[in-house]
Amino acid sequence: MTIGATRYRVAGECGRCVLTTIDPSSHARGKEPLRTLARHRNIDGKARFGVYLVPLHTGVIHIGDTVTID
């Protein structure tokens, strides 16, 4: 994967953090949005949301950089 001029290796998939289920105002815990994500992105019983990237060299990412999947 390349973002701008920086290349990355995909190191693995990651699940979604449970922090998204906590209301920041009341601190109440719920099941959304993880329940909905799990219905659409469920792999091996986990709600997959993204990937871990390892840079292959140093570089800078800028807003608006092109992202390409090699």
Side-chain angles (χ1 to χ4, degrees):
M1 170 182 268
T2 304
I3 304 173
T6 307
R7 290 192 41 81
Y8 296 85
R9 172 178 60 85
V10 177
E13 298 174 336
C14 62
R16 187 65 175 131
C17 175
V18 297
L19 201 55
T20 61
T21 65
I22 301 172
D23 183 304
S25 300
S26 67
H27 304 279
R29 294 176 182 229
K31 296 189 186 246
E32 293 297 338
L34 292 184
R35 183 187 320 198
T36 300
L37 280 171
R39 283 198 303 263
H40 300 284
R41 296 180 179 251
N42 190 330
I43 300 170
D44 298 329
K46 292 186 179 183
R48 301 297 181 188
F49 186 76
V51 295
Y52 295 108
L53 296 176
V54 177
L56 299 178
H57 55 83
T58 59
V60 178
I61 297 174
H62 300 281
I63 294 173
D65 278 350
T66 300
V67 177
T68 56
I69 309 296
D70 305 326

